Amino acid sequence: FLHAIADNPPDELMRSINPGFFFGTHTIYENVPLMIIPIASYEHAFAGMLAWEPSLNDDMTPLFSLVHYEKPDAEGVPQLVGFEDVLIKNYDVRALRDPNGDIKMLYSFPSRNFLIISERPHSFVEALARLRAERRL
């Protein structure tokens, strides 16, 4: 599935994925894409996601909103905005923000067995709740 929608997912990530995944939309005020991917090797999956970050949003644009803008760094030189570390419900998350500061794409490993990719924090929190309800986290 990732090869079908994305140009170049890292091989390290692809080798670390277990069969069977969830892709759907979570709807409250809008349809939000959400993926829950079972992981066989956390270390390889995490390294693969970090390596994919520079093109992740572009590669996933058919499903996720494109966030592409520059902001000045400490020296005032424009830099393309990238993922940053944030905490959501005490989970480490890598997030990409739009010019208004709103998170428009995020991914996290809430356990060593799952990768969640979403477009909004509320969908990530809902995925966590459902995984906890099924006692998978």
Side-chain angles (χ1 to χ4, degrees), residues 34 36 88-91 93 108-111 116 121-134 137:
L34 175 70
I36 302 173
I88 298 176
K89 297 288 184 183
N90 286 330
Y91 287 92
V93 173
S108 179
F109 294 88
S111 74
I116 298 175
H122 65 269
S123 297
F124 171 69
V125 171
E126 181 65 25
L128 291 173
R130 301 231 179 161
L131 288 170
R132 275 193 226 109
E134 295 175 8
L137 283 185

Side-chain angles (χ1 to χ4, degrees), residues 72-87:
D73 65 8
E75 289 83 39
V77 178
Q79 299 289 321
L80 191 61
V81 171
F83 283 83
E84 61 185 59
D85 291 320
V86 297
L87 276 177

Side-chain angles (χ1 to χ4, degrees), residues 13 35-39 49 107-110 113-117:
L13 172 65
M35 298 178 77
I36 302 173
I37 303 168
I39 300 298
M49 287 301 292
Y107 73 87
S108 179
F109 294 88
N113 301 320
F114 289 101
L115 165 63
I116 298 175
I117 304 173

Side-chain angles (χ1 to χ4, degrees), residues 13-92:
L13 172 65
M14 298 308 293
R15 286 191 306 268
S16 68
I17 294 175
N18 271 333
F21 67 95
F22 171 82
F23 172 72
T25 58
H26 174 240
T27 305
I28 294 181
Y29 306 109
E30 60 187 336
N31 292 331
V32 177
L34 175 70
M35 298 178 77
I36 302 173
I37 303 168
I39 300 298
S41 171
Y42 167 78
E43 291 80 9
H44 291 286
F46 187 76
M49 287 301 292
L50 287 176
W52 198 11
E53 277 187 8
S55 65
L56 176 61
N57 185 243
D58 289 330
D59 287 352
M60 300 290 272
T61 296
L63 303 174
F64 292 84
S65 299
L66 180 63
V67 178
H68 190 85
Y69 72 98
E70 296 177 344
K71 71 179 187 180
D73 65 8
E75 289 83 39
V77 178
Q79 299 289 321
L80 191 61
V81 171
F83 283 83
E84 61 185 59
D85 291 320
V86 297
L87 276 177
I88 298 176
K89 297 288 184 183
N90 286 330
Y91 287 92
D92 292 321

